[in-house]
Amino acid sequence: MKKVSKPIAIVMALVLALGIFAVNAFAGDKAYSHPDGIFTLAGGQDEDSAKPVAIGEMVYGELEAEGKAVYKIYSAKAQALTLSFKSATPINVKVNALGVDASLLDVTNQTDITTIINVENAYYYITLENYVAPVVDEPTTDEPTTEEPSTEEPSTEEPVAPQSAVVLNGEEEAAVNEFFFATSVPGMESEIRVDCNYKTAQVVAGQTIQLKLSNFSVENINYFWRVIDDQSTLLVDERDIVTVSKDGLVTVQPNSATFNKNTEVKVQAVMFYNGEPWTKTVTITAVPANVFLEPYYDTTEDNCLTIGEGASRYVTATTNMKDTSVTWSTENAEIATVTAGGKITGVGVGKTYVKASVKVGDVTVSRRILVDVKLNYVSVMGISFDTHSDTVRVNDYKTVAYTFETAPADKVPTNSKVTFTSSNPEIATVDADGKVTGVSVGTATITVTSEDGKYSDSCTFTIQEAIPTWLMVIIAPFRIIYNLIMMIIGK
C-alpha cells in the first residue's frame, strides 16, 4: 500500500473534521434537526413541483407519514456530487436525471447515507420518502381446533382502520419524520454574495416594509428571514417589536410597555451553505406610534393649558402614522370642550383632561392635556413684533415693540412676561426690555417669546456702520429732544 505523506494526511483529517462539523455544528443533539427549530424547506410532491436547491445548500425538512419530498438540483458540468442524508427514522432516497427513469441512487430503509454520484450537465431530482416496513402475515395451520365453541355474543365493535405511521423494528414512530441533507462538489464556491434592497430602514409601528434579496452568487439557494433578539437588552424581546414573514415582509408591531422609544432591530436573511450559515442583515429602526402637539402641553401643573372661561386655544395634533387621523375627546365637557380641529374652550372653572388619540391595530396611542380653566383669566394666544425688519447703527440702539393676542381679546394678559434673545450677540445684543444695540456690521435675528414658551415672533435687524463722531455732536441735541417727546406721549 502506498503511504500518504504526513502533510497530506493532516489536510485530509481537517477536511473530514470540517465535513462532520458541517452536519453536526447546527444540529445540537439531533443531526437531522434545524439549528433554530423554526425553518424547514418543504419539497414538492412530484418532479413538476420539485423545490430547486443549490449545490452546497444544507436542507432541513419533514416527511409526513405517507408524503414525500422532491428537490431539484442543477449541475452545470460533469462532476462528482457528494450527497449526505440523516433522518429521524428510516427513509428511502432516489436520485434520477430529468427525463431519465433509471436511478443514479436508490436506497431504502436508511437513516444515515453518504454517497457520491457522477452527474452531467443536467437537472437531477432527489426524492425522499418514509420507509414503511412490509406487513408480515401470521402463519396459518389446517390443524383442527380442540377448543370448545364460544357461547359469547359476536362483537359489535367497529373494526379499527389501519393508521399511517413510520414503522421501525415493528414499532410505530412519529408521523412526522425530520431529515437533513447536504450536497457538495469539488471546487464549490466558498461563500455567498447577495444584495438587499435596504441596509437600514425606519419603520413606524403598524407599518410594513418589504425586504428583497437579489444578485445571488449561488443559484437556487434558499433562505429564510428571522428577527434577532439582542441578548444585551434583557427587558426587551425585539421579536415582540418586529416580525418578518418568510417572504421578507417586515412589520413593526403596535406599541407595548417595552416599546416606548426608537429601537434598533436586526433582521437577517439566513442561508445554510457549504457547512455554515450565511446571513444578510438589515437594521430596522422601529419607531413607536406617537402624537405630537403644537404648542406642546402635557399633564403636569407646570405645563398645563391655563385659559379663562369662554376663552379658546387651538392645539395642532399630528401623528407619525400614515393614513391615520387624530381624534379629540374631553373627560368633562362642563369644564372644557374640544372640537375635531383641536379648538379647546374653557366652559366652567375647574380642571379636566382633553385627549388627542390615534389607533394602531388594537392599541390606542394618546396625548393628554391638563386644562385648567380659571375665572377672569386672560390667556395669551399669540405674540408679534410691530415690524419684522429694522436697522440700527453700530454703538446705537433701538427698542423693539411687540403686541399680545389675547383671549378675551384686547385685554392685558394675566401672564404677560416675555424673554428676548439674539441669534448673533457679536452683531447685535438685546436686553430684557427689548433694547437692541448694534455691535458690529451684519445681521441678527431678535426673538421675543412668551413666558410659557408657546408663542414667539422674530425681527431681523441689519446693523450699519456707526455715524461719524463729528456728525453725532451735531445731531445729539435733536436726539435728546426726540427722546423727551417720546417719553411724554408714552412711546
Side-chain angles (χ1 to χ4, degrees):
M1 180 181 291
K2 187 176 180 179
K3 292 186 177 180
V4 179
S5 66
K6 186 174 181 180
I8 293 176
I10 293 174
V11 171
M12 292 176 65
L14 287 172
V15 170
L16 179 60
L18 287 172
I20 294 172
F21 174 78
V23 174
N24 291 291
F26 310 107
D29 295 331
K30 299 198 296 183
Y32 52 84
S33 179
H34 186 280
D36 291 332
I38 58 173
F39 175 77
T40 57
L41 184 62
Q45 288 298 302
D46 51 38
E47 292 184 358
D48 291 337
S49 61
K51 181 71 175 180
V53 297
I55 290 179
E57 184 173 352
M58 303 166 66
V59 177
Y60 298 83
E62 295 177 344
L63 283 170
E64 298 292 336
E66 295 181 351
K68 63 180 178 180
V70 183
Y71 298 90
K72 179 168 63 175
I73 287 182
Y74 173 69
S75 175
K77 59 182 179 181
Q79 54 192 338
L81 180 68
T82 300
L83 297 99
S84 300
F85 299 85
K86 288 184 180 292
S87 60
T89 57
I91 56 174
N92 304 332
V93 178
K94 183 182 292 186
V95 179
N96 63 285
L98 173 65
V100 179
D101 292 333
S103 299
L104 280 74
L105 177 67
D106 192 353
V107 297
T108 61
N109 193 17
Q110 299 290 321
T111 58
D112 193 340
I113 307 164
T114 299
T115 187
I116 298 175
I117 60 174
N118 294 314
V119 295
E120 304 291 332
N121 177 16
Y123 282 98
Y124 291 86
Y125 294 97
I126 300 174
T127 302
L128 298 92
E129 293 183 289
N130 283 317
Y131 168 75
V132 178
V135 177
V136 179
D137 294 333
E138 292 293 331
T140 59
T141 61
D142 295 331
E143 295 289 333
T145 179
T146 58
E147 295 179 359
E148 294 293 328
S150 174
T151 58
E152 296 179 1
E153 293 292 328
S155 174
T156 58
E157 293 182 0
E158 293 290 332
V160 178
Q163 296 182 357
S164 298
V166 179
V167 179
L168 178 62
N169 298 326
E171 296 182 1
E172 290 188 354
E173 297 291 329
V176 176
N177 182 9
E178 295 176 292
F179 64 83
F180 158 84
F181 78 84
T183 61
S184 62
V185 294
M188 184 172 63
E189 185 165 353
S190 59
E191 64 182 32
I192 294 175
R193 294 180 301 279
V194 63
D195 297 330
C196 187
N197 58 338
Y198 291 96
K199 290 184 179 178
T200 60
Q202 183 168 292
V203 186
V204 178
Q207 297 177 10
T208 63
I209 187 171
Q210 180 67 56
L211 301 182
K212 293 182 179 180
L213 301 183
S214 60
N215 300 326
F216 284 93
S217 60
V218 175
E219 293 184 5
N220 296 326
I221 190 75
N222 292 283
Y223 58 90
F224 70 98
W225 292 94
R226 67 179 175 184
V227 175
I228 303 301
D229 179 25
D230 186 354
Q231 296 301 312
S232 66
T233 56
L234 297 178
L235 300 179
V236 178
D237 188 338
E238 283 75 8
R239 294 169 298 186
D240 292 336
I241 297 174
V242 172
T243 60
V244 60
S245 71
K246 63 179 181 180
D247 299 321
L249 183 65
V250 173
T251 303
V252 176
Q253 299 301 307
N255 301 10
S256 64
T258 58
F259 180 30
N260 48 29
K261 63 180 180 178
N262 288 10
T263 305
E264 284 196 353
V265 180
K266 304 291 185 183
V267 179
Q268 282 187 338
V270 184
M271 295 144 271
F272 287 90
Y273 172 82
N274 200 21
E276 60 182 291
W278 295 89
T279 60
K280 192 71 177 181
T281 304
V282 179
T283 300
I284 303 294
T285 300
V287 181
N290 208 344
V291 177
F292 308 96
L293 302 178
E294 178 61 37
Y296 178 74
Y297 297 95
D298 57 29
T299 58
T300 64
E301 295 286 346
D302 293 337
N303 197 33
C304 69
L305 170 56
T306 304
I307 57 178
E309 282 185 292
S312 298
R313 173 71 56 87
Y314 278 94
V315 177
T316 301
T318 57
T319 178
N320 55 0
M321 295 292 298
K322 292 182 179 179
D323 304 321
T324 303
S325 59
V326 178
T327 58
W328 285 90
S329 61
T330 180
E331 289 189 4
N332 190 340
E334 293 182 356
I335 294 177
T337 60
V338 61
T339 67
K343 181 181 179 181
I344 302 171
T345 301
V347 177
V349 174
K351 295 179 181 180
T352 189
Y353 292 97
V354 297
K355 184 165 58 177
S357 306
V358 293
K359 194 169 184 179
V360 188
D362 296 329
V363 177
T364 299
V365 180
S366 302
R367 288 283 184 185
R368 289 203 311 165
I369 300 173
L370 175 61
V371 181
D372 186 2
V373 181
K374 294 185 176 181
L375 184 65
N376 299 324
Y377 187 90
V378 181
S379 302
V380 174
M381 299 295 292
I383 189 171
S384 62
F385 281 119
D386 292 355
T387 181
H388 292 92
S389 64
D390 210 336
T391 60
V392 68
R393 293 185 181 274
V394 173
N395 299 324
D396 202 355
Y397 65 87
K398 185 177 290 186
T399 300
V400 290
Y402 60 91
T403 303
F404 282 112
E405 179 186 349
T406 62
D410 303 324
K411 299 289 185 179
V412 177
T414 305
N415 181 1
S416 60
K417 293 181 180 179
V418 297
T419 57
F420 294 94
T421 56
S422 171
S423 65
N424 194 340
E426 294 181 357
I427 301 295
T429 60
V430 62
D431 65 12
D433 296 322
K435 185 173 79 171
V436 179
T437 302
V439 178
S440 60
V441 175
T443 59
T445 300
I446 306 301
T447 301
V448 60
T449 305
S450 59
E451 187 178 42
D452 60 6
K454 305 299 181 182
Y455 299 98
S456 64
D457 196 20
S458 298
C459 178
T460 301
F461 268 82
T462 301
I463 312 303
Q464 301 174 338
E465 291 184 358
I467 298 176
T469 304
W470 63 268
L471 184 57
M472 287 290 295
V473 172
I474 295 173
I475 67 174
F478 298 97
R479 185 166 186 173
I480 293 172
I481 295 171
Y482 173 80
N483 289 337
L484 286 173
I485 293 172
M486 292 297 103
M487 289 176 61
I488 292 171
I489 65 177
K491 290 190 177 181

